[in-house]
Amino acid sequence: MSETNNVMLEVQDLTIRFGGLVAVNAVNFQVQKGSIFGLIGPNGAGKTTLFNMISGVYKPTSGKVLFDGQEIQGKPAYKVNSLGIARTYQNINLFKKMTVLENVMVGCHSRTHCGLFASVLRTPAQRKEEKEVVEKCRDILEFMDLGDKADFLASNLSYGEQRRLEISRALASDPKMILLDEPAAGMNGAEKEELQRTIRKIADKGITVLLVEHDMKLVMNVTHQICVISFGKRIGYGTPEEIQQNPDVIEAYLGGGLDV
Amino acid sequence: MNQNTVLTQQKGAAFWKKNRLSIIAIAVLCVAAAVMLRTRYLAMILDFICIYTIAVTGLDLLFGYTGQVSFGQAGFYAIGAYTSALLSKNLGVPPILSIFIGALLATVFGVIIAFPASKLVKHFLSLLTIAFGLMVYTFVNSCSALTGGPSGITGIPKVSIFGLELGSYQSYFWLVAILMVLVLITKKNIINSRVGRAFIAVRENPHAAAGMGINVAKYKIMAFAISAFAAGLAGALYAHMIRFISPDTFTKDQSNMFMTMLLFGGIATMSGSVIGAAAITVMTELLQQFAAYQTLIYAVLILIVLFLLPNGTVGLFSKLKAAVRKRGQKRKPGKEGTPQ
């Protein structure tokens, strides 16, 4: 197998400008298939902006995003999802008035097909698909330890549970790669430990993980490779050990933020 | 076999327990309808309730479920009414067919409006739909050659099915009631499907919906089309019931009435559109001597709903139900606590 075949995501010279502000400036990195990749940087570095370009929310000014060998930059978010990239959001974006189960069922959208007429007529194919979707979503909720909360309204879950539901919903689209945007934000120590196990479990399923995170301990523990950006530019790239030795990175984090 | 019977009985009991309120409500409604059908005037009110329920159900899928506001439903209502009236009167198309052609033409306009509308939110969307309603009104009012202008169209043919002429309000009831039930079943099937979940997802959080693979614009357009179909169908049914239409019926007041019915009954519920349509129709009839103040009355009703009953009348019912259940639960521990 050649090296390129092992690359799940390749970001080439990705740049975006908002007016005069260059939010992300010519960033390059490669994410290997099946790996856990960390994207870190100080506040306002452009991590979420980068995420939004990969997931189709923003159109980059220039540069390329190659997903499984295919150019996806500038494609609308719903197409990016159907190609196999699922994501979670930094500021939880659940469907609050739907139940936990329904939230995950929405996640199956791009992997199911029944349209308006099949739904109105409740065709046998539609009923079968609905049944399969419910079963699949219950399995995902079990996997994410939310099985007993299936019929709760999403807004009634605790903060940590809402974060887990975001991941469940993303998993429902059978992604090849999952983008986790600060999944540990607001979590306590025990919840973070749990999250770490969950991320490993997801990677064990063969899903590539791209992680944006502030919690250094979590990132250093769980990732295989890290890209550090600061003020929209890449300042470090390598394994967790290499990143911890990198003087530029240490300086960006005010010389000491990397204590593990 | 014995076990089977017991099982069936248990199933029946469970079904009854789960749906008893709906079953009782439907039974009461049937009795009320049977009584009302004996009087021509009351039968007319029933017909109106069914027709308005169809239009309001469509609006609920658009506004209640997909979160896209429309103050221009009278435009689709007018397109359905005029299309069916003109086709059946001038070209001899059987009304039972022209009604559906009217609804389909309204759907086409719904899709056309939805393309720009799907890019707008909140007050911009309101303005666009108000403008659409005004455009249709202005067209039917001024294009005398086609629509008869301000004097409207008279002598619209009666509907007949298999040679059976539905000339009276009583016989017409069966047509509108069956179509209303079909529309309500359609709504129920849609909201409990992948499409319905996509609608609700778009309402709840369009960004997350797109992130989950939902083509937000496509589903907004679909919701507009469905609501336009329902309003067009209602309009065509109205035209063949009254057998006279004029632009006066299709002003923005009609759009506002649909919205009032929906808000009063309760958005995003199954029974809300029926309750809203029935309550506002009856209220409008009772307050006919104050017809000049109709818009004012609607405005007050909407304010009452927005401030006191955010979930409409249906919300009030479920609050009452919850309160009764709570009382029941409070009583129970007391019983268990008594010494045996």
Side-chain angles (χ1 to χ4, degrees), chain B residues 253 287-300:
Chain B
D253 290 346
L287 300 175
Q288 218 159 36
Q289 45 188 340
F290 308 110
Y293 300 102
Q294 205 185 20
T295 317
L296 180 68
I297 295 169
Y298 290 165
V300 172

Side-chain angles (χ1 to χ4, degrees), chain B residues 101-117:
Chain B
I101 299 175
L104 287 177
L105 191 68
T107 313
V108 171
F109 274 88
V111 173
I112 293 171
I113 287 304
F115 271 96

Side-chain angles (χ1 to χ4, degrees), chain A residues 77-78 81 87 89 93-98 105-106 109 112-116 119-120 122 126 129-130 169, chain B residues 186 189-190 192-195 197-198 200-201 203-205 207-215 219 222 226:
Chain A
Y78 76 91
N81 176 278
R87 67 168 294 180
Y89 296 85
N93 261 340
L94 290 168
F95 308 120
K96 287 183 187 151
K97 286 189 184 167
M98 295 175 109
M105 286 169 82
V106 171
H109 190 88
T112 46
H113 312 282
C114 280
L116 184 60
S119 304
V120 169
R122 287 185 64 74
Q126 192 262 353
E129 189 181 272
E130 280 292 296
R169 189 178 61 175
Chain B
T186 301
N189 287 350
I190 289 175
N192 291 317
S193 74
R194 171 173 177 266
V195 175
R197 286 191 297 273
I200 301 171
R203 176 194 74 194
E204 289 290 299
N205 195 326
H207 297 290
M212 297 307 124
I214 293 168
N215 183 344
Y219 282 92
M222 204 189 277
I226 295 168

Side-chain angles (χ1 to χ4, degrees), chain B residues 225-288:
Chain B
I226 295 168
S227 84
F229 180 88
L233 179 64
L237 289 170
Y238 167 82
H240 291 277
M241 172 191 164
I242 302 297
R243 301 179 47 223
F244 161 72
I245 49 173
S246 74
D248 288 345
T249 310
F250 306 104
T251 58
K252 65 179 188 327
D253 290 346
Q254 185 72 48
S255 301
N256 293 345
M257 189 181 88
F258 291 143
M259 195 46 110
T260 311
M261 286 172 168
L262 178 58
L263 291 173
F264 187 78
I267 59 168
T269 55
M270 272 314 289
S271 49
S273 44
V274 188
I275 293 172
I280 302 293
T281 307
V282 170
M283 219 178 291
T284 309
E285 285 300 317
L286 292 178
L287 300 175
Q288 218 159 36

